[in-house]
Amino acid sequence: MNKQRSISTILLVFILFSYLSLPSCGTKKTKYIAQSLDYFDTATTITGYEKDKAAFDRTSGKILDLLCEYHRLFDIYHRYDGMENLYTVNGLKNGVHRVVKVDSRIIDMLLYAKEMHRVTEGKLNIAMGSVLSIWHDYRTAASEHPSDAKLPPKELLDEAAEHTDIDSLVIDRENSTVWISDPQTTLDVGAVAKGYAVEMVARELEAKGISGYVINVGGNVRTVGVKPDGNGWLVGIENPKLESDEPYVEYLQLAGESVVTSGLYQRYYTVDGKNYHHIIDPQTLLPAEGYLSVSVVCNNSADGDCLSTALFCMSFDQGLALVDSLDGVDALWIMSDGSKRYSSGFEKYTTAP
């Protein structure tokens, strides 16, 4: 199916660091790294500076525990004992969705996703599950039998699109319940969940006064503070042209910000020599065209996750207007011909490698 890089480079954005120990207020701190493949169907890398490995293990262990909780709450593919999650919200009983009492973190994330649906004028739509599940099934079948790879029939997609109204998602914050009024509507939070989870974990670290960390979940990168020497983090945005000798298209200096990239080279399958990636335009119901990747820098990893997907489904002018309307948000578009377009404030983050 699609080309694969090693775990260290498959992430859209990879953190670049020196391995030197750095002094901080008279206390030498060392860089440590922890990795996991257990959450959100992707690789997680935690990088942090601590006085010793035991301190790092405590913090990184807490980060992974929190990511595990969010992963299970937001999982649309699996049920977990003793937990109501999005899998159970999507489930049917006697042909209809039931009202499900859920953890407040699900309520908060769904309300946030509804707001991002408004901000992006529907380009970010978590009620697209009926359509996205069709593409998921055809992509999975192609991975198992590449020679038989097919595109979903248009009439099948059109029928599913009749059941993607975000207003079908009924949220009662006071009672912490969720209900989907249309039995054929399902939720897919793939464009929200990772970034939202990363942001919530980062905020918990900040609330505890923890700094000098970077959380990277499948290319959703959130920096927490700066390095012990007071400098920001050097972050590379991966080149969407995988055959290129240049692994990164830009280097950024970040200090508390997040960067998230959506690209057509992440997950795709091939039909008759053409690649069909996983970012589906809600209007055309087909993989969005026009860009190789879109990267968003902002203070909130959840915003970056949502916006990078939404911008991928907009024209450049429409996307630029949206970015310019939002405080603290900048973006880089890699066009289909490989050229780069920037929002007005993006270059303040760029630096030499």
Side-chain angles (χ1 to χ4, degrees):
M1 200 172 76
N2 56 323
K3 298 178 183 178
Q4 297 292 323
R5 291 186 175 181
S6 66
I7 289 299
S8 63
T9 58
I10 195 172
L11 302 180
L12 285 174
V13 187
F14 191 72
I15 311 301
L16 309 168
F17 303 105
S18 162
Y19 279 80
L20 298 176
S21 298
L22 297 172
S24 177
C25 300
T27 301
K28 181 175 282 190
K29 290 192 174 183
T30 301
K31 188 191 82 169
Y32 299 95
I33 295 176
Q35 294 182 316
S36 173
L37 295 173
D38 294 334
Y39 311 120
F40 298 102
D41 193 30
T42 191
T44 293
T45 301
I46 300 166
T47 304
Y49 284 92
E50 290 286 1
K51 61 182 180 181
D52 54 49
K53 190 172 184 301
F56 174 78
D57 288 345
R58 286 192 296 271
T59 298
S60 62
K62 180 61 175 177
I63 291 170
L64 291 174
D65 287 346
L66 289 170
L67 288 174
C68 179
E69 292 177 23
Y70 282 106
H71 167 81
R72 292 186 173 197
L73 289 170
F74 300 162
D75 195 339
I76 65 172
Y77 298 109
H78 303 95
R79 179 194 302 273
Y80 300 93
D81 290 342
M83 173 185 288
E84 298 279 21
N85 67 353
L86 291 186
Y87 176 88
T88 58
V89 169
N90 276 340
L92 298 175
K93 184 175 182 179
N94 299 323
V96 297
H97 295 291
R98 62 189 178 90
V99 177
V100 183
K101 188 174 182 64
V102 296
D103 188 288
S104 62
R105 288 171 289 183
I106 290 179
I107 297 291
D108 291 341
M109 186 274 290
L110 294 180
L111 288 171
Y112 167 80
K114 271 200 161 189
E115 173 60 14
M116 292 306 293
H117 179 275
R118 183 194 66 78
V119 169
T120 64
E121 298 183 350
K123 291 300 186 181
L124 189 285
N125 185 5
I126 63 169
M128 284 277 292
S130 57
V131 171
L132 298 181
S133 64
I134 293 171
W135 280 103
H136 176 273
D137 291 345
Y138 273 74
R139 192 165 56 247
T140 300
S143 69
E144 297 171 351
H145 304 285
S147 61
D148 295 328
K150 298 178 177 64
L151 295 179
K154 186 177 186 303
E155 58 271 19
L156 183 63
L157 294 171
D158 287 340
E159 181 181 352
E162 294 296 318
H163 306 281
T164 59
D165 185 354
I166 193 69
D167 290 333
S168 297
L169 174 59
V170 181
I171 303 170
D172 184 339
R173 181 193 284 277
E174 182 178 353
N175 294 302
S176 200
T177 61
V178 181
W179 176 54
I180 305 173
S181 61
D182 182 346
Q184 297 186 63
T185 298
T186 56
L187 305 180
D188 187 310
V189 296
V192 184
K194 291 195 302 293
Y196 188 91
V198 168
E199 182 63 26
M200 294 303 104
V201 173
R203 290 185 184 186
E204 182 152 337
L205 295 184
E206 290 169 340
K208 293 180 178 178
I210 296 174
S211 185
Y213 274 79
V214 177
I215 306 169
N216 182 346
V217 181
N220 287 259
V221 174
R222 174 64 147 80
T223 61
V224 182
V226 296
K227 293 189 291 185
D229 62 0
N231 291 323
W233 306 91
L234 182 64
V235 181
I237 296 180
E238 192 175 20
N239 193 333
K241 294 185 175 182
L242 301 184
E243 70 280 3
S244 173
D245 292 333
E246 297 294 331
Y248 305 106
V249 293
E250 290 287 354
Y251 294 90
L252 310 179
Q253 191 86 1
L254 302 181
E257 297 88 2
S258 173
V259 59
V260 183
T261 299
S262 291
L264 56 74
Y265 56 96
Q266 291 176 277
R267 297 194 300 274
Y268 65 84
Y269 72 106
T270 305
V271 180
D272 297 331
K274 181 176 179 179
N275 296 335
Y276 293 85
H277 61 82
H278 73 292
I279 305 173
I280 306 303
D281 187 328
Q283 184 173 352
T284 66
L285 309 181
L286 298 171
E289 297 185 339
Y291 313 112
L292 299 181
S293 68
V294 178
S295 300
V296 174
V297 178
C298 57
N299 294 324
N300 184 324
S301 184
D303 290 353
D305 206 0
C306 292
L307 291 172
S308 64
T309 299
L311 294 175
F312 209 96
C313 298
M314 297 179 179
S315 69
F316 173 74
D317 288 341
Q318 182 184 13
L320 181 61
L322 174 60
V323 169
D324 285 346
S325 74
L326 301 172
D327 291 336
V329 176
D330 281 290
L332 162 67
W333 292 260
I334 306 297
M335 312 302 283
S336 57
D337 63 1
S339 62
K340 295 186 283 189
R341 306 284 294 273
Y342 303 86
S343 63
S344 59
F346 189 88
E347 290 182 308
K348 69 176 176 286
Y349 299 106
T350 61
T351 187

